[in-house]
Amino acid sequence: MASPSPKSPEQSEKTKQYDRQLRLWGDHGQFALENGHICLVNATVLGTEVLKSIVLPGVGAITIVDDKIVTDEDIGSNFFLECSSKGLNRGSEALRLLLELNPAVQGNAVQEPPDQILKENPDFFKSFTVVIATSLGEKTIQDLAQHLWDVNVPLILCRSVGFLGSFRIQMKEHAVIETHPDNEQTDLRLDVPFHALSEYLDSFDIDTLDLKDHGHIPWIVIIYKAVQKWRVNNPHWPMSRKEKNEIKGIIQDFIRKDENGVPINEENFEEAIRAVNTALMPTFLPAKSQELLYCSAATNITKESTPFWIMCAALRGFVESEGKGNLPVKGVLPDMTASTDHYIKLQNLYRTQASMDAEIVYRKVQQIVAQLHCENISEADVKLFCRHAHDLHLISGSSIVSEYQLTSSVASYIARHLEEPDVMMVHYILMRASEIFQSEHCRAPGDWEPEGDIAKLKTCVTKLLSDVSCSPFPKDDHVHEMCRYGGAEIHSVSAFLGGCVAHEAIKIVTKQYKPVNNTFIYDAGSTNTATFTF
Amino acid sequence: MASGETQTSTDQQRRWLHIRKLLERSGPFCHPDFEPSPEILDFIMESCKILIVGAGGLGCELLKDLALLGFRKLHIVDMDTIELSNLNRQFLFRKNDIGLSKAKCAVEFVNKRVPGCEAIAHHCAIQDLDEGFYRQFHIVVCGLDSIVARRWLNGMLMSLLQYNDDRSLDQSSVIPLVDGGTEGFKGNARVILPGMSACIECTLDLYPPQKTFPLCTIANTPRLPEHCIEYVKVIQWAKENPWGSNIALDGDDPQHVAWVFEKAQDRAMKHGISNVTYRLTQGVLKNIIPAVASTNAAIAACCASEVFKLATSCCTSMNNYMVMNMADGVYTYTFNAEKRPDCVACSNSTRVVEIEPQATLQSIYDKLCEDPAYLMKSPGITTVINGRNKTLYMSSIKSIEERTRDNLKKKLTELGLFNGADILVADVTTPNTVTIKLKFAEYQDVEMTR
Ligand SMILES: [Zn+2]
């Protein structure tokens, strides 16, 4: 038998290899990732576990900064070191074994301590997409964080000790257009139908259709007709639960009956009744969008403004004029029982309107770009922006230095969470106190023997607590537990955090999905996590 | 020689310094049974046998994590071979390994990288291994993508439970099961103490129902690109048999996928439907679940920590189910999934099904497939009448299916079943036959003797 062998759109090797992740962030996300360059400071277990999950999906390049020499303890817990690595530079050894994971990734190792680089060649860090640092002393953390804040390079600072771990993301500003919400709001405009939509909806007469067609009417039409009928006696849009129930009653009456007066099972009408609550949500400018469009970055556009803010400014122009207070139509129709013709017609109406709206926004973008002589923004980018205009997400970050210096807002934030009482904030205090201990005693608390360090660590904790105007902890149990850890790095705890940090770095590089804002605490002992925003 | 050995043993001591701190020191949050001692590390290294089920995204991570937590007696089972699309997350495999056994490749890599690790590979299906095999392990940790296989494994561990004369559970027969699963940016991890805490069957409702498209939509009113692809897969392939009448559609054959893609595009074009892509076609045909390294790393690590806690008691175990979502920030929630007192797998009691005496065998069959407490795939139903086995219905073997098909239409009473009768049900979701007692609805106070 001859093979029908159609001209197959042969997928590239790369597309096949990355297939499972391309379904999550698309080819454009992959493109961004492949242009990313991640810097890791210190190839600890946590550090290499982070890089592993960034190298596998195919980041462009990695650079490891590490001046340490590989020890037995390193080999015992770090998968990206081997017995023969002992005595060699830790960063170079880890780099070699990490790059084996994916030949497409470039890599460098720099065998200098970060302090020295900051002093002698601070521009070194400027070129990275994200810097990830672990196992640093308090002083270096602040120096590095301050520098990266100044040069506007995102930093993820992470720790792993015993059953505890944390990471902190520092970014000045991070805008996400494709947030991929789990439950996306529909945007049907039944209360403010655009011309083509109302024309189409009005063309239906539910009562005169034959039974087969009746069962093929999309629920959007059904709800629209029910509301029209209801509004004969009510001037406003149905909002309350009672009014929505009246609409459901009208839809119920639309359902055809058989010769015995028993309602016929019509799936589309059932769907209409289920959809009433969401479909009748009035169209409005979400508070979050309002805030974004009218913040100073969007209203004071300059030559230095990023494309995101230029598009926000153009979008505001649209909302204020053509949009009559609303965002551009999304152009997405949920699936619903309907004949192919009805559904496709309706879908095309929404899509066409969406593309007309986006076109207007694009023209406004072009005007701004021309006025300011800044770099052009592609029509495709503007279209994508408009498609997701309802779910834009902006993170305005805070600096790690202000967190470390316990400015008054940080102090009161911590105090508030300690009063609740929130054990995850207690873990944060313990990790910070251990860092202070480390800089005072040049070793982790409990490194040699736990009991002797309990009192000393407690002093650090109490000092930290008094700095945020909190009284000392009534019990020593968390201090004791921290001394038990003795600075141990448990592989599975670091592997968990490594996965999370890699994940967040990928979100930052691809500018898709919402990253943690801004601090994540993990307790593997109780299997709990928490997010704090310093 | 002697000094060399001492040198090695101090290296060894230093190498495991991190976990020794946890195991040789007591702390305020330890399990009440915990007594710090160097012997715990010896136990982990020399005696504690762990079975890892699955050598995929989670399995590779688990093997690495457990080896670096000191475990050496590791077994890993997986029937699959390595494919190119695994390499974005299954980090123990390289392009050269494509086509080789996942279990063998993973074991080879980790034993080489972590000296002293003695992992053993089993390149076979979990169903090929018997009770004696599973009974040898202290803990089983599972990273599968198939719910049916997971349920089968759960059933196996439940069937190893032994009960004392007073019907209390014999604790020594309990093999804890740590289970992880991921889907895209989401995942879950849980600890199951068979007979003591909720098992997989207790919480079947936590699995989302599979998304299916009604046949009439696919055939008559397609609206989405998926509908067009399903049409070609379900209807057009069988009609046209492009590679001959006995060649089944193979989602892994690029030519087959390309054929479906083209036909689906034609159909979409005819109906004005857009966005039929090659990637979507492949996704629908193979029911592809997106997967990424980071989510797998986090979930597997969480499972590995729980194995470590169970094996050492150095900290209390998770109680008992964690869900994780990494799409919007990183969010986790840990809760206590409740054990079903009448669970078919873990309760040591016979499940009773209440049913109309007029009901047909079909209604029992449907209940076994659709009731969220069973969700079976193709249950085979037998009973014992007057001491003799009688097959009532079985679809898995063609000749028996044909012989018993008519029984589905018959009433239970016509088949010799009565109030209080036991039916025995076999299914791919369980290694054991499940006994179900029928209770006719009108009999209010029937004596339900065991
Ligand atoms: Zn159960």
Side-chain angles (χ1 to χ4, degrees):
Chain A
M1 169 124 202
S3 151
S5 72
K7 1 171 222 331
S8 139
E10 202 40 61
Q11 284 182 297
S12 72
E13 188 94 330
K14 199 170 86 181
T15 314
K16 284 186 202 154
Q17 178 174 343
Y18 295 139
D19 178 83
R20 300 303 184 266
Q21 70 201 36
L22 293 175
R23 292 168 193 277
L24 292 164
W25 54 65
D27 297 308
H28 59 302
Q30 186 66 29
F31 179 79
L33 186 62
E34 286 170 15
N35 281 292
H37 189 165
I38 306 283
C39 173
L40 170 71
V41 181
N42 285 331
T44 57
V45 183
L46 176 51
T48 54
E49 290 296 313
V50 174
L51 286 189
K52 168 175 135 286
S53 295
I54 296 180
V55 167
L56 284 165
V59 73
I62 57 171
T63 290
I64 301 181
V65 174
D66 196 339
D67 64 320
K68 315 282 187 312
I69 299 300
V70 178
T71 65
D72 285 312
E73 286 106 301
D74 289 333
I75 295 167
S77 51
N78 195 329
F79 194 74
F80 297 95
L81 296 172
E82 49 192 9
C83 289
S84 62
S85 306
K86 193 176 164 180
L88 302 175
N89 175 265
R90 191 170 66 178
S92 321
E93 281 298 283
L95 181 73
R96 178 173 62 84
L97 296 176
L98 279 162
L99 290 180
E100 279 180 9
L101 299 177
N102 192 342
V105 178
Q106 306 292 312
N108 315 289
V110 176
Q111 305 185 7
E112 277 171 63
D115 306 280
Q116 195 181 325
I117 300 176
L118 280 172
K119 208 184 295 164
E120 295 169 5
N121 180 21
D123 279 353
F124 170 83
F125 290 106
K126 240 176 157 171
S127 60
F128 298 115
T129 327
V130 180
V131 174
I132 296 162
T134 177
S135 203
L136 291 178
E138 268 195 309
K139 166 101 180 26
T140 316
I141 289 175
Q142 296 188 55
D143 291 347
L144 181 65
Q146 181 64 54
H147 176 67
L148 293 176
W149 181 261
D150 293 340
V151 297
N152 201 13
V153 171
L155 165 67
I156 309 181
L157 183 69
C158 42
R159 311 182 181 95
S160 167
V161 51
F163 281 127
L164 295 180
S166 72
F167 66 83
R168 157 70 147 105
I169 303 177
Q170 171 185 281
M171 296 185 278
K172 260 192 183 155
E173 179 182 289
H174 183 71
V176 187
I177 295 170
E178 292 167 273
T179 53
H180 301 267
D182 263 344
N183 301 301
E184 201 181 1
Q185 287 274 335
T186 52
D187 178 30
L188 300 175
R189 314 266 165 148
L190 289 181
D191 56 335
V192 283
F194 42 92
H195 178 70
L197 179 63
S198 56
E199 206 174 60
Y200 180 70
L201 294 171
D202 288 333
S203 72
F204 277 87
D205 184 353
I206 293 192
D207 297 330
T208 61
L209 291 170
D210 71 25
L211 189 60
K212 182 160 171 277
D213 284 346
H214 203 253
H216 281 163
I217 310 169
W219 61 248
I220 291 187
V221 179
I222 298 168
I223 291 178
Y224 181 79
K225 293 288 177 188
V227 173
Q228 270 190 333
K229 194 161 179 183
W230 184 84
R231 287 181 84 175
V232 171
N233 304 312
N234 303 274
H236 58 285
W237 186 254
M239 293 287 284
S240 69
R241 180 194 284 260
K242 179 177 160 284
E243 289 165 347
K244 285 177 179 169
N245 283 337
E246 287 167 12
I247 299 291
K248 289 180 192 174
I250 296 172
I251 297 173
Q252 198 72 50
D253 292 339
F254 284 157
I255 298 177
R256 295 276 166 90
K257 317 286 184 300
D258 66 12
E259 58 272 25
N260 302 317
V262 180
I264 295 167
N265 184 13
E266 288 184 299
E267 183 63 33
N268 53 336
F269 285 84
E270 300 295 327
E271 279 177 10
I273 290 170
R274 284 198 297 273
V276 160
N277 286 328
T278 49
L280 292 186
M281 279 270 284
T283 307
F284 65 102
L285 183 66
K288 242 183 70 183
S289 312
Q290 169 111 22
E291 206 182 307
L292 201 58
L293 299 188
Y294 289 91
C295 78
S296 65
T299 50
N300 302 315
I301 293 293
T302 67
K303 202 173 171 346
E304 273 66 50
S305 294
T306 59
F308 178 80
W309 290 118
I310 293 174
M311 289 192 284
C312 280
L315 186 61
R316 191 185 59 251
F318 174 88
V319 171
E320 286 172 354
S321 54
E322 295 88 342
K324 300 193 186 92
N326 290 316
L327 293 168
V329 168
K330 270 188 194 177
V332 178
L333 187 63
D335 188 33
M336 58 189 70
T337 295
S339 67
T340 303
D341 286 351
H342 289 328
Y343 182 81
I344 298 300
K345 182 86 215 286
L346 205 47
Q347 188 178 49
N348 285 338
L349 288 177
Y350 280 104
R351 283 186 181 170
T352 307
Q353 187 63 37
S355 110
M356 277 158 48
D357 287 356
E359 175 70 37
I360 296 169
V361 177
Y362 178 57
R363 278 205 303 273
K364 291 181 191 292
V365 166
Q366 282 180 310
Q367 278 165 19
I368 299 172
V369 166
Q371 271 166 23
L372 297 174
H373 305 288
C374 45
E375 213 171 307
N376 200 20
I377 302 170
S378 78
E379 185 168 4
D381 284 350
V382 176
K383 264 203 152 148
L384 187 79
F385 179 83
C386 291
R387 158 69 184 85
H388 298 287
H390 288 77
D391 297 300
L392 299 174
H393 184 69
L394 181 78
I395 293 177
S396 301
S398 67
S399 82
I400 287 179
V401 170
S402 66
E403 179 192 335
Y404 268 71
Q405 290 172 350
L406 299 171
T407 57
S408 65
S409 65
V410 172
S412 65
Y413 180 82
I414 294 174
R416 214 162 54 239
H417 282 277
L418 286 174
E419 277 158 19
E420 272 179 25
D422 187 340
V423 68
M424 300 309 277
M425 187 56 93
V426 173
H427 293 326
Y428 170 80
I429 293 290
L430 260 303
M431 286 187 276
R432 284 282 304 269
S434 300
E435 249 165 35
I436 297 171
F437 183 104
Q438 177 96 35
S439 57
E440 285 176 4
H441 303 275
C442 295
R443 62 183 164 83
D447 194 3
W448 301 333
E449 60 93 28
E451 272 71 27
D453 283 347
I454 292 179
K456 288 183 197 132
L457 179 57
K458 204 179 159 187
T459 311
C460 301
V461 170
T462 306
K463 165 79 174 49
L464 198 54
L465 288 174
S466 86
D467 287 348
V468 296
S469 313
C470 280
S471 41
F473 295 141
K475 282 165 74 186
D476 287 346
D477 48 357
H478 291 284
V479 175
H480 184 173
E481 182 74 1
M482 185 55 97
C483 289
R484 176 196 181 200
Y485 299 154
E489 187 169 4
I490 303 304
H491 184 83
S492 56
V493 176
S494 291
F496 180 91
L497 287 158
C500 295
V501 171
H503 197 80
E504 297 305 292
I506 292 168
K507 287 180 188 171
I508 294 169
V509 176
T510 59
K511 296 194 167 66
Q512 292 186 41
Y513 299 91
K514 298 182 193 172
V516 165
N517 182 21
N518 48 30
T519 301
F520 180 82
I521 311 283
Y522 173 50
D523 175 17
S526 64
T527 324
N528 263 318
T529 67
T531 299
F532 296 113
T533 308
F534 290 111
Chain B
M1 183 77 192
S3 81
E5 264 170 36
T6 330
Q7 181 59 43
T8 320
S9 106
T10 39
D11 282 1
Q12 189 73 357
Q13 289 289 307
R14 269 210 301 273
R15 200 173 130 205
W16 299 107
L17 197 60
H18 290 286
I19 50 177
R20 280 178 49 213
K21 284 177 178 158
L22 282 186
L23 301 181
E24 295 173 15
R25 298 170 170 189
S26 71
F29 304 109
C30 298
H31 192 277
D33 296 343
F34 180 68
E35 278 182 40
S37 131
E39 283 157 31
I40 303 174
L41 185 59
D42 291 342
F43 167 72
I44 287 185
M45 291 191 165
E46 308 307 332
S47 320
C48 189
K49 281 177 110 167
I50 311 278
L51 174 65
I52 302 167
V53 181
L58 289 170
C60 284
E61 296 280 347
L62 283 165
L63 187 58
K64 173 208 65 161
D65 292 344
L66 292 172
L68 290 174
L69 287 169
F71 295 94
R72 292 178 162 179
K73 311 285 182 198
L74 296 164
H75 287 239
I76 186 161
V77 51
D78 197 313
M79 65 188 290
D80 284 346
T81 54
I82 297 156
E83 294 175 23
L84 180 55
S85 63
N86 302 145
L87 302 189
N88 78 324
R89 60 197 187 285
Q90 301 177 15
F91 67 100
L92 300 174
F93 313 141
R94 307 285 170 266
K95 277 191 182 161
N96 286 339
D97 301 326
I98 290 170
L100 302 179
S101 153
K102 285 187 178 180
K104 286 181 183 165
C105 239
V107 156
E108 211 171 291
F109 195 109
V110 171
N111 284 348
K112 189 164 159 243
R113 178 64 59 84
V114 184
C117 185
E118 301 162 15
I120 294 171
H122 303 273
H123 180 209
C124 64
I126 55 168
Q127 292 86 350
D128 296 343
L129 299 161
D130 62 10
E131 270 188 29
F133 173 81
Y134 288 102
R135 196 176 279 129
Q136 64 179 310
F137 296 101
H138 290 90
I139 300 165
V140 175
V141 54
C142 167
L144 289 167
D145 52 9
S146 149
I147 293 172
V148 170
R150 196 180 261 121
R151 291 173 68 184
W152 187 94
L153 180 75
N154 179 71
M156 171 54 80
L157 295 184
M158 300 305 147
S159 75
L160 299 179
L161 290 177
Q162 311 231 319
Y163 291 85
N164 301 315
D165 292 340
D166 63 353
R167 300 197 61 205
S168 63
L169 183 64
D170 174 359
Q171 300 278 337
S172 69
S173 67
V174 175
I175 300 174
L177 171 62
V178 179
D179 180 56
T182 68
E183 189 172 335
F185 287 180
K186 294 176 186 157
N188 64 78
R190 65 190 294 188
V191 174
I192 296 168
L193 300 174
M196 299 163 74
S197 64
C199 80
I200 304 271
E201 298 290 322
C202 290
T203 55
L204 276 185
D205 53 338
L206 293 174
Y207 296 115
Q210 244 204 342
K211 215 167 83 188
T212 52
F213 304 107
L215 199 63
C216 62
T217 299
I218 298 168
N220 304 322
T221 57
R223 299 176 297 270
L224 306 180
E226 289 89 342
H227 294 156
C228 301
I229 299 162
E230 280 283 329
Y231 176 84
V232 180
K233 173 187 163 188
V234 176
I235 296 166
Q236 206 167 347
W237 182 276
K239 221 190 275 173
E240 300 190 17
N241 280 313
W243 271 265
S245 63
N246 42 24
I247 306 290
L249 176 52
D250 177 3
D252 287 317
D253 185 329
Q255 296 220 345
H256 288 196
V257 180
W259 189 85
V260 175
F261 169 56
E262 281 203 354
K263 299 288 170 186
Q265 265 190 326
D266 291 347
R267 184 168 170 80
M269 185 101 74
K270 206 175 98 192
H271 289 96
I273 297 167
S274 47
N275 297 334
V276 172
T277 62
Y278 188 85
R279 186 173 294 157
L280 182 72
T281 306
Q282 212 178 16
V284 172
L285 286 184
K286 293 180 66 178
N287 192 20
I288 290 175
I289 296 161
V292 59
S294 48
T295 316
N296 278 299
I299 290 294
C302 179
C303 292
S305 292
E306 293 307 318
V307 172
F308 184 71
K309 290 193 227 168
L310 283 166
T312 64
S313 299
C314 75
C315 183
T316 47
S317 288
M318 179 209 297
N319 186 21
N320 52 30
Y321 199 116
M322 182 196 79
V323 291
M324 183 164 193
N325 187 345
M326 301 169 86
D328 181 354
V330 176
Y331 170 83
T332 71
Y333 175 63
T334 306
F335 65 98
N336 181 4
E338 282 184 36
K339 187 172 182 303
R340 269 184 86 126
D342 63 342
C343 171
V344 277
C346 73
S347 68
N348 192 32
S349 64
T350 307
R351 180 69 76 92
V352 177
V353 163
E354 199 161 318
I355 196 140
E356 293 290 320
Q358 299 302 311
T360 60
L361 187 62
Q362 180 78 52
S363 60
I364 296 248
Y365 184 88
D366 292 346
K367 192 178 175 66
L368 290 171
C369 294
E370 287 155 23
D371 187 320
Y374 301 101
L375 294 175
M376 291 183 171
K377 301 292 162 191
S378 56
I381 308 170
T382 57
T383 188
V384 178
I385 291 175
N386 301 328
R388 289 186 55 198
N389 278 319
K390 182 181 178 188
T391 302
L392 299 173
Y393 180 70
M394 192 173 290
S395 63
S396 51
I397 299 165
K398 198 166 173 247
S399 60
I400 303 183
E401 201 278 332
E402 282 166 6
R403 185 157 54 78
T404 56
R405 191 183 296 160
D406 287 344
N407 286 347
L408 287 175
K409 292 180 216 132
K410 291 184 186 159
K411 287 180 189 163
L412 299 175
T413 45
E414 289 176 77
L415 291 163
L417 293 169
F418 50 90
N419 185 44
D422 286 341
I423 56 168
L424 308 167
V425 185
D427 189 54
V428 288
T429 57
T430 164
N432 313 297
T433 307
V434 177
T435 305
I436 293 172
K437 195 173 278 293
L438 300 179
K439 182 183 179 186
F440 287 174
E442 60 182 24
Y443 292 72
Q444 284 308 315
D445 47 9
V446 65
E447 207 186 333
M448 301 301 294
T449 48
R450 284 178 50 81

